[in-house]
Amino acid sequence: MYSPPTIRTKFLIISDTHGRDSSLQHLSTERADVAIHCGDLTTDSTLAEFRSSIALLSSLNAPLKLVIAGNHDFTLDTPAFQRKLAKARLPLDKALVGEKYGDFGYARSLFEDETDNGIIFLDQGTHHFALANGASLTVYASPYTPCSFPGKRGFEYSRLHGHNFEFEHVDVAITHGPPKGIMDYTLNRERAGCPRLFAAVRRAKPRMHCFGHIHEQWGAKLVTWKKGSPTRKPCYFGDVDYENTFVIERRLNLQGEEESVQGRFYRTSHCTGDRRPLKWEEQTLFVNAAVGGINEEIQPAWLVEIELFKAF
């Protein structure tokens, strides 16, 4: 059977930088074909934090930098920003609000002015790119995360009602939150991931799914899907082939290494000839790329190599 030619492609993946700039300057030392930021560019969604994040993104040594928002980036979600202002208990000084947060849509415009630096801000949906290395990249992006009481931050939806994440035929899924069952345990040992997101990823089986949000679950896992059609309600226990699923790395193994962790990258490659080459339509590499740790430590950024089809 004919197999389209593929190109080895290197990704630098980060998330949850929360306005950090100076402590992440080492990220610019590594060359990548694509850089991905999985959201929470800020802590309080201030313009100062966005400008720091843009400075960090601009410094990255990659011709294409794909960015989504996270729940902390509420001014990028105009309806959420409007609701927060409407619910303010004290009268607001519009001039001070404008100085700190900008008008509706202003924070978004900061990213739109940076396309010459390779920065592309992605709304929810499917996006296509022809890369400088000659590969074709199709990604699905979504900033939305579940919440028991949505409305406090941005891009939140009710766990009860869920959210539509349906997509197909993509190489990489980029979301802020994790799918349920995969690197989504909180410190309280609760699953914070979304079952509908898991179901969408199971059906689409992208080569890679990267996210953040759950800082304490930094890590990566190469998941092998069970053969055949997805279960009626796809879930980790019903749709994953455990015997052929491998943990690449997890935060637990970094504990006690806080001093040496800072400034590090974690590298993994899943191309032809590697120890565990990624099997297209049989496996998905999941990456939790939360750079900010739970104790303010800096967790390693991910450098991931996978193969993409050549662009024609």
Side-chain angles (χ1 to χ4, degrees):
M1 293 178 63
Y2 171 72
S3 235
T6 58
I7 296 176
R8 192 180 187 104
T9 302
K10 186 176 182 180
F11 292 83
L12 168 64
I13 310 169
I14 56 176
S15 184
D16 299 86
T17 53
H18 290 286
R20 293 179 178 90
D21 181 10
S22 58
S23 61
L24 296 175
Q25 290 181 352
H26 63 279
L27 297 181
S28 63
T29 62
E30 283 286 341
R31 175 75 167 78
D33 298 299
V34 183
I36 295 175
H37 195 301
C38 303
D40 274 3
L41 298 141
T42 70
T43 296
D44 298 313
S45 208
T46 65
L47 293 178
E49 289 177 305
F50 280 121
R51 290 186 174 111
S52 292
S53 293
I54 288 171
L56 172 66
L57 291 164
S58 297
S59 74
L60 299 181
N61 190 3
L64 179 64
K65 303 148 189 180
L66 305 179
V67 186
I68 66 169
N71 59 313
H72 278 265
D73 309 319
F74 63 84
T75 56
L76 295 174
D77 181 353
T78 296
F81 189 14
Q82 291 172 331
R83 288 193 298 269
K84 285 182 74 71
L85 294 181
K87 291 180 180 179
R89 295 182 179 180
L90 299 176
L92 297 175
D93 185 322
K94 292 184 178 180
L96 289 177
V97 171
E99 181 179 348
K100 187 172 184 178
Y101 298 103
D103 295 328
F104 301 132
Y106 183 73
R108 170 65 180 267
S109 73
L110 296 178
F111 291 89
E112 293 170 347
D113 292 339
E114 295 294 329
T115 55
D116 288 346
N117 289 325
I119 299 173
I120 306 295
F121 184 85
L122 302 178
D123 291 311
Q124 177 167 285
T126 300
H127 310 265
H128 307 275
F129 303 94
L131 304 185
N133 70 349
S136 171
L137 173 64
T138 301
V139 305
Y140 171 79
S142 178
Y144 290 92
T145 53
C147 183
S148 298
F149 303 99
K152 292 183 179 180
R153 292 177 176 163
F155 304 101
E156 293 179 334
Y157 60 90
S158 167
R159 292 184 183 278
L160 181 63
H161 298 106
H163 185 78
N164 181 14
F165 290 103
E166 292 303 317
F167 59 93
E168 58 183 8
H169 306 309
V170 304
D171 301 301
V172 178
I174 307 170
T175 62
H176 181 55
K180 186 172 184 178
I182 299 181
M183 294 179 288
D184 66 334
Y185 266 128
T186 67
L187 290 176
N188 295 327
R189 302 303 294 170
E190 295 177 349
R191 290 285 191 188
C194 176
R196 290 197 179 187
L197 177 57
F198 179 92
V201 174
R202 168 64 180 95
R203 294 186 185 106
K205 294 185 289 188
R207 301 181 190 223
M208 180 166 64
H209 179 193
C210 49
F211 50 88
H213 190 48
I214 309 301
H215 298 208
E216 56 268 41
Q217 286 287 286
W218 176 96
K221 180 181 286 190
L222 182 61
V223 167
T224 299
W225 302 109
K226 286 185 177 178
K227 294 182 180 179
S229 301
T231 55
R232 189 174 64 86
K233 290 186 177 181
C235 65
Y236 188 87
F237 296 106
D239 290 84
V240 170
D241 177 354
Y242 308 111
E243 293 184 359
N244 295 296
T245 288
F246 308 95
V247 173
I248 305 302
E249 189 55 283
R250 56 180 178 170
R251 186 183 184 279
L252 180 63
N253 295 338
L254 303 181
Q255 290 181 353
E257 302 181 19
E258 281 80 3
E259 292 184 3
S260 62
V261 163
Q262 188 159 349
R264 280 177 46 189
F265 297 88
Y266 197 95
R267 305 165 192 270
T268 188
S269 183
H270 301 276
C271 301
T272 302
D274 291 334
R275 181 185 176 193
R276 291 196 177 103
L278 193 152
K279 299 175 182 177
W280 177 230
E281 295 190 336
E282 296 181 26
Q283 296 176 314
T284 297
L285 177 66
F286 290 88
V287 179
N288 181 324
V291 169
I294 58 175
N295 296 316
E296 296 301 316
E297 74 269 26
I298 303 300
Q299 299 179 145
W302 282 94
L303 286 168
V304 177
E305 290 188 75
I306 61 174
E307 290 166 314
L308 298 176
F309 290 131
K310 182 178 180 180
F312 290 97

